[in-house]
Structure formats: structure tokens, C-alpha cells
Amino acid sequence: MDDLLVVERIRKAWDVVALEDVSLRLPPGHIMGIAGPNGSGKTTLIRLILGHIRPDGGAIRVFGDDPGLSGRAIRSRIGFVLDRPISYEHLSVTRLGRLVADFYADWDEVEFQRLLDEFELPGRRRASALSRGMRVKLGLALALAHNAELLVLDEPTTGLDPVFRRELLARLSAIIADGRTSVLFSTQILTDLDRVADFAVFLRGGRVVFSGPKDDLLDRWAIVRGGPELAAAAGADAVRGIRRSRMGFDVLFDDMDAAKPYCDGPAVLERPTLDDVFLLLGSKESQ
Amino acid sequence: MYIYDIYSMSTMTGDLDTPETPRMRVILSNSSSEPIYEQIARQIRAQIIGGELEEGSLLSSIRSLARDLQVSVITTKRAYEELEREGLIDTVGGKGTFVAAQNPQFLREKRMSLVEEKLADAVSEARLVGLSLDDLSEMLRLLAEEE
Amino acid sequence: MWNLIRKDLILGRWTLIVNGSMALLAPFILLIPDEPPPVILYVLYVGLMCTMLPVSLIAKEDKFSATAFTCSLPVTRDDIVTSRYLGGWFIAGGWMAAVLALGLLAPAVRDLWSNGAGGALLGGLTMLGLTIAIVIPFTIRFGMNGLLFGLVGLQVLGMVLFIGALATGGLDGIERAVKSVIDAVGSYHERVGPAGFAVTVIFGVALLNWVSWKASRRIFRTRDL
């Protein structure tokens, strides 16, 4: 199956951060989460994918076409939820729906109304009077009502309470259950990727520090926490990060079997959490 | 620096009842050191071996299982692949995944190995508290008679 | 295309209503002085008020960076540019025609038209066309703030030139240059007659808009939003 989204060696200097050599691929029917702190380039990447800004180098293909120049047919297959409030907020929810509906040939008004009900969105309320979470839901309803095959969400969980976040992530996993639709979302919260995300991309300072199936991290990678003798591990192939701790070192391995030999004596072997991986990845012994 | 999620669920139950699919129950634990795909595979395996999931019955699809359990598609796919490798389930292209026809001999072997596994656990626990082999056999005999 | 224009109309409805009503008052404002103004002044004034309608819409869109949202919808960037031109002509031209037509209801305004109606209409059209052809590419390239800076900059430049001309005694030169342009237009007018002149002007305005539209599309295709 063809990938819905292909990003190849993108470069872009924009805002405060410059994306360097970013590549990713998203096949149909999967969820990809892009995680990183503020200023790591998440929004820049999302905006490149939506075609708001043009790359300085490299190529982006969405449904096989350049998103900055692609035509209506391809653009109608993309659904989006932007992180900034959309500017048409003096309109009521229903009016905003009608306005957006105008642009999509396969807009499903019945489905839109159903989603408004399901999300408990008051149709007559002004969009500007909605809470942050409601706004994300409205964006999602707008995107789902036109049968988008690729959903792009910029930090949908930021500022949401935990219950709401869980609900949203559950909704995303229901969306991809058809095997055709894929979801790409960015987040500051690593645990958002814990469960439903198939692919994880970690950004730091505009560079990809990890990109791959999330399960690889959680099931195959390992952390060894041990004494000063662990410094000897630093040169090993499977080591992806090493950091001085109070007792000695924490070492991140991308292969549990490779980690086991270092685990004699008092050193302990652990499955990493995403937080562990993010903190340790790429760190050097000296730090 | 980052906002870490303090709301972490310890268990998640997926009760997967649909008209076509038999009762299939998977309970996941986030705090277990066992990878999620292994938790799924282990529980389905136990249900097949235990006869709760009968031969030929249709299992939830990879995608609906992922949705119901709130895990990634890759995770459930991996669990099914493992069960398939063990010959416990079959995927028929376009139709779905079914509990494979089990050779009675094979099933028996599987069950025996399950018993063996549990006994091995019991033995190692017994060693920890210093039970002798005789004490342990006696305990086993009493338990068996109790039933 | 029409959905983009309709979107602008819906989103900017309050701006349109306020600015549109002000344009409606134009005939009455001009009738306040005892001496009725020449009709061309009246038409240019109405035209100016009406061109403010699409300009304010573009300003609003630019100010709230709504373009990012619009660009995420299934429309091409070319569509967006084209809709600005079409929408600009449609809104400004349509409202201008409506206001002028409504003005005819007042006998005093009707009297204004007795002299120089054709030239006045041509003048109004030219102003409308020039404004659209200049404002749109400028906002697409530099944003609304860029346009404001550009206008202020032009004024400052004009003043500097004027003062410079005064100081160096070059004012006569400027006057002569302006006069020679006016003379050239006048003699062209005489040579081709009023109809030919009108055709030339309309053609010129259309050409300018076409060039401006082409340039805007080119600029907008690579603009980061």
C-alpha cells in the first residue's frame, strides 16, 4: 500500500527553529505521533505538511502530491485541526459548519450533526465562546464530516484535562479502525503516544532523534542502570544514550539482548518508558 | 519542561462481545513488565487452550481489537502474528482471523506445558521459603484431593 | 471559486455593512455645500468608499492570519488569488453601481449627471481598477501592514521630492512634466474621440489587472503563511 504521507529530508528555517533533515512515512490506517518540547519544530513540520509554508529543501508528498500546490481533489482528502484558534470565531458552530461544508463535495451534514451531538457541542454557541477542548472537538467534527483520509492535528491535547485527552485518543484509534484513514498529531506530552500511536517521532531542536514503531521502543529497547563500571558500555553499537546518574550511569540500549551482558552485579535492566527514551536518547556520558 | 501525564491507567478492560465473535476477554496492565503484545497473546492463547474460544470461531480483527483495547494496531498485529506462528489461529485473507483447527494431541501438549510452567513457578517459590521436595509433594497431594 | 467569495462575504459581513452604509451616505454628504460638485468628484468619492469594502476584507483576513485556515481547505492558492480579484471587482463594482443607482432617486443627485456623465463613470472605473491592481499584489507580498507602510512611504517620498523640488527650483520642471502628460492624454482624447478613449482606458485597466493577477498568483504560490 502506498504511504499517505512521505516526508523526505526536509529543511526549513522558520520561526525560531530550523528543521534539519526530517524524514517520515505514514502508511494508511495508522497513527503517528510527533512529540517534542516547545520550539522543537512540531508546528513547523505540521505546517509544511499542510502546505502553509514551503520547504527550503527536500520533498513532501501527501497522497503523492506536493501539499503546497496540490489541487482540490487531494486537499479534500485531508482533515486538519490547527492549534491556533481559527479566526472565524464570531460565527456560531452551525454557521461555521455550513461555511466549511461549502468547500467539500462529499460533506456529510447528517454525520456532522451527529458528531456535534456526540461531542455535546452547542450548535448556536459562538465558536469563540467554546473551551479549548470543545474547539478541538469542533475541528475534529469538521474534519470527520468530509471523510478525510488523513487527519492532521496540531497539538490537540495541549491544555486538555486527562479525561478529555483519553477520550480524544480513543476517538483517534476508532478513526483509523477502518484501515484506510491515518492520523498524524503533534504533542508536548510523551505519554500521549503510550497507547494508541503506531509510530513515534521525537523532535528535538528541529531534528528527528527517533522515528519508528513505538512498540520497538517499549518492547525491544532497554535501560541499564548501574555503577561507574557501566562507562565501559559507552562505545557499544546498541547504545543510544548514556547519562551520569547519582550511582553511576543510566544507559539506553536499542536492543535488550545487547543490554543483558552489562547487567551483571548490581546493575538493573528495565524496560524504558517513552520519557526515559526521550531524556536519554543522544545524551553523552560527559553531560 | 514537559507536561507529563499523571493520569496513567493501571488496567484497561476490553470486553469484546459482538454477535459473530465469541467471548474474548483481554485485560491489559500498564504497570506490568510484560510487553502489551505479549499480554494480549498470552490471554488469547490461554482462552484457546482452555477451550473458551472454540475451534473455527472468528476473532476480533486486528483493527477492532486495537480500537477496543486502546492500543496501537502494530501491537495487536504482533500479538496475532505470534499466535499464528504457534498455529493457534489462522488468518483467512479478506474473511478474518479464526481459531485454528486444533489437533487434540497438540492441544494436550500445549496444556501440559502450561501445567509444567505453573509447577515450575511453584517449585521456585518453594525453594525460596525452603520447602523440601517431600513437603511440596505432600502439599500438591492435599490440593489434588481437596478438589 | 464562488465558495471562497461567499466565505469572505459571510465572514466580513459586519465590515461590509458598516463600510457599505458609509458609501450610501456619499450622495448626501456631497450635497451639503451650496454649490453642487462636478459629477466626476461625486463618482470618484463613491468609488473610493466602495473600494474600501474589498480592501477591508483583505485587511481583516490578513490581520487574523485566516489565510492559513483557508489554505487548508480544498482550494488551490491560485483559487484564493483569483477569488480576491473577482471578489474585489464584484463587491466594489457591485456596490458602487448600487449606490450610484440609488443616488438617482434624489433629484438633486440626478441633476449632477446632466454634465460629464461618461467621463465620470470612466474615472470611477479607472480608480477602482487601479486600486485593485495595486492593493492585492502588495498585500499578498507584504501583508496589510506592508501596504500601510507602503502608502505612508509613498507620501513621505512625495513630500521629500516636493521639498527637494522647491529647494532646487525644480518645481517648474515637475509642473511641466505633469502638464505634458495631461496634454498628451488630452490630445490623444481629441484624436480618438470619446468612445476610442474610453476603450483605451478600459483596455489599459483590464491589462493592468491581468498583469497584477498573474504577478499575485506567482507571488502567492511560494509565500509562507
Side-chain angles (χ1 to χ4, degrees):
Chain A
M1 262 186 290
D2 286 347
D3 293 326
L4 300 187
L5 167 71
V6 179
V7 174
E8 249 162 32
R9 313 198 58 126
I10 280 292
R11 281 189 300 109
K12 177 72 182 176
W14 175 252
D15 255 6
V16 282
V17 63
L19 285 184
E20 273 297 330
D21 200 22
V22 171
S23 301
L24 16 122
R25 280 170 178 274
L26 179 58
H30 290 80
I31 298 178
M32 177 179 276
I34 301 173
N38 276 331
S40 57
K42 300 186 298 289
T43 296
T44 306
L45 184 54
I46 298 260
R47 303 196 69 191
L48 281 162
I49 289 166
L50 287 174
H52 296 170
I53 54 179
R54 315 280 301 143
D56 296 338
I60 304 181
R61 292 283 174 271
V62 179
F63 300 111
D65 215 341
D66 181 337
L69 304 172
S70 58
R72 285 162 222 153
I74 282 183
R75 302 196 70 86
S76 3
R77 295 163 70 188
I78 304 171
F80 58 93
V81 178
L82 304 178
D83 73 326
R84 58 177 80 184
I86 47 177
S87 37
Y88 309 146
E89 308 219 320
H90 57 291
L91 297 181
S92 73
V93 168
T94 316
R95 247 197 132 85
L96 196 63
R98 269 209 299 275
L99 187 88
V100 172
D102 229 13
F103 287 86
Y104 295 94
D106 50 358
W107 179 265
D108 187 342
E109 182 61 29
V110 176
E111 174 68 2
F112 181 64
Q113 291 300 333
R114 199 192 62 72
L115 287 164
L116 290 188
D117 279 352
E118 188 189 324
F119 293 158
E120 293 171 348
L121 286 165
R124 293 164 73 179
R125 181 96 54 94
R126 281 163 156 245
S128 54
L130 296 176
S131 68
R132 158 100 205 167
M134 296 277 234
R135 220 175 264 181
V136 171
K137 281 183 170 179
L138 174 59
L140 206 55
L142 290 172
L144 292 177
H146 67 84
N147 285 312
E149 287 166 65
L150 175 65
L151 275 170
V152 180
L153 306 99
D154 197 5
E155 303 208 10
T157 58
T158 302
L160 300 191
D161 65 73
V163 178
F164 205 119
R165 283 183 33 218
R166 181 147 289 287
E167 210 181 297
L168 178 72
L169 294 172
R171 162 60 61 168
L172 297 185
S173 86
I175 289 169
I176 63 148
D178 65 1
R180 184 186 66 128
T181 309
S182 284
V183 173
L184 177 86
F185 72 97
S186 63
T187 178
Q188 299 180 21
I189 310 160
L190 287 162
T191 41
D192 278 347
L193 311 188
D194 256 351
R195 282 283 193 145
V196 297
D198 293 295
F199 300 102
V201 177
F202 292 170
L203 282 179
R204 191 191 283 146
R207 285 175 181 275
V208 172
V209 289
F210 173 82
S211 170
K214 172 214 66 191
D215 286 8
D216 281 0
L217 290 185
L218 298 182
D219 300 340
R220 231 179 52 207
W221 290 37
I223 287 186
V224 177
R225 300 189 200 276
E229 69 282 356
L230 261 184
D237 280 347
V239 170
R240 300 292 291 266
I242 179 165
R243 179 173 247 197
R244 206 178 282 277
S245 69
R246 263 195 305 172
M247 299 302 164
F249 292 98
D250 293 341
V251 189
L252 178 70
F253 290 82
D254 63 12
D255 180 1
M256 187 165 276
D257 292 333
K260 279 177 182 153
Y262 295 97
C263 241
D264 53 350
V268 292
L269 181 108
E270 281 179 3
R271 280 185 193 289
T273 64
L274 293 177
D275 288 340
D276 291 332
V277 173
F278 194 81
L279 286 174
L280 274 169
L281 243 181
S283 51
K284 297 275 183 329
E285 184 193 340
S286 55
Q287 287 169 349
Chain B
M1 182 165 62
Y2 315 120
I3 307 160
Y4 291 114
D5 186 9
I6 46 157
Y7 179 86
S8 184
M9 183 183 54
S10 61
T11 58
M12 175 93 195
T13 311
D15 211 353
L16 311 161
D17 272 330
T18 54
E20 325 85 64
T21 52
R23 201 165 188 76
M24 172 170 145
R25 190 171 262 140
V26 179
I27 298 170
L28 298 180
S29 159
N30 262 5
S31 49
S32 162
S33 67
E34 188 183 26
I36 304 258
Y37 80 94
E38 263 177 41
Q39 294 184 36
I40 298 171
R42 175 173 49 76
Q43 293 175 55
I44 298 177
R45 184 188 300 118
Q47 286 164 54
I48 293 174
I49 293 171
E52 289 158 59
L53 290 172
E54 284 164 20
E55 171 187 329
S57 49
L58 178 67
L59 299 179
S60 306
S61 73
I62 287 171
R63 292 189 166 277
S64 52
L65 184 63
R67 181 194 57 208
D68 295 344
L69 293 174
Q70 292 292 296
V71 298
S72 102
V73 178
I74 290 179
T75 307
T76 51
K77 189 157 174 254
R78 210 154 153 194
Y80 274 27
E81 274 167 4
E82 186 154 310
L83 294 169
E84 217 163 304
R85 235 190 343 267
E86 294 168 16
L88 288 169
I89 61 173
D90 278 330
T91 298
V92 183
K95 284 194 173 162
T97 305
F98 299 89
V99 176
Q102 304 296 339
N103 171 339
Q105 180 65 33
F106 172 79
L107 247 172
R108 196 179 146 73
E109 267 169 31
K110 276 270 175 197
R111 284 182 163 181
M112 299 241 312
S113 72
L114 211 66
V115 173
E116 213 168 277
E117 214 173 90
K118 297 209 159 149
L119 281 177
D121 282 351
V123 169
S124 63
E125 284 294 320
R127 276 211 190 107
L128 278 178
V129 293
L131 277 180
S132 73
L133 181 60
D134 283 345
D135 293 339
L136 190 64
S137 337
E138 177 62 15
M139 204 185 263
L140 186 65
R141 198 181 57 77
L142 282 173
L143 277 173
E145 279 172 2
E146 229 171 66
E147 291 257 315
Chain C
M1 191 58 53
W2 291 109
N3 50 18
L4 278 170
I5 296 172
R6 187 155 61 227
K7 175 205 69 130
D8 286 340
L9 287 176
I10 293 173
L11 293 176
R13 62 189 194 281
W14 288 113
T15 321
L16 286 179
I17 288 170
V18 170
N19 284 323
S21 326
M22 274 159 61
L24 266 180
L25 295 177
F28 305 102
I29 291 170
L30 281 179
L31 287 174
I32 291 171
D34 294 338
E35 186 72 16
V39 67
I40 184 146
L41 203 63
Y42 165 63
V43 173
L44 285 181
Y45 184 68
V46 172
L48 185 71
M49 298 301 279
C50 290
T51 46
M52 288 324 287
L53 298 179
V55 172
S56 62
L57 280 191
I58 294 171
K60 200 170 151 69
E61 176 113 348
D62 191 76
K63 184 171 151 205
F64 295 106
S65 56
T67 320
F69 179 78
T70 312
C71 273
S72 309
L73 292 168
V75 289
T76 61
R77 292 201 171 194
D78 284 358
D79 290 341
I80 295 173
V81 171
T82 308
S83 84
R84 285 199 176 171
Y85 282 85
L86 282 181
W89 275 99
F90 174 71
I91 295 167
W95 195 240
M96 189 172 159
V99 172
L100 291 179
L102 276 174
L104 289 179
L105 293 176
V109 174
R110 208 159 44 224
D111 289 345
L112 290 180
W113 288 93
S114 56
N115 205 355
L121 281 179
L122 198 62
L125 187 76
T126 308
M127 193 188 65
L128 189 69
L130 287 180
T131 313
I132 286 175
I134 292 165
V135 166
I136 293 179
F138 216 91
T139 46
I140 284 176
R141 178 64 187 80
F142 301 107
M144 204 58 207
N145 290 334
L147 181 73
L148 293 179
F149 278 119
L151 288 177
V152 172
L154 276 179
Q155 278 185 353
V156 171
L157 186 74
M159 262 150 71
V160 168
L161 283 180
F162 183 72
I163 292 168
L166 271 184
T168 57
L171 204 56
D172 285 349
I174 293 177
E175 209 179 317
R176 266 203 306 280
V178 172
K179 204 167 177 311
S180 68
V181 169
I182 292 174
D183 286 348
V185 172
S187 72
Y188 180 74
H189 187 200
E190 255 167 46
R191 202 145 36 99
V192 294
F197 186 73
V199 168
T200 312
V201 169
I202 289 170
F203 178 76
V205 168
L207 183 71
L208 193 67
N209 268 266
W210 184 79
V211 170
S212 157
W213 172 68
K214 280 281 181 194
S216 292
R217 282 172 29 133
R218 217 191 158 82
I219 296 166
F220 196 52
R221 269 178 212 168
T222 51
R223 160 111 193 255
D224 285 340
L225 302 171

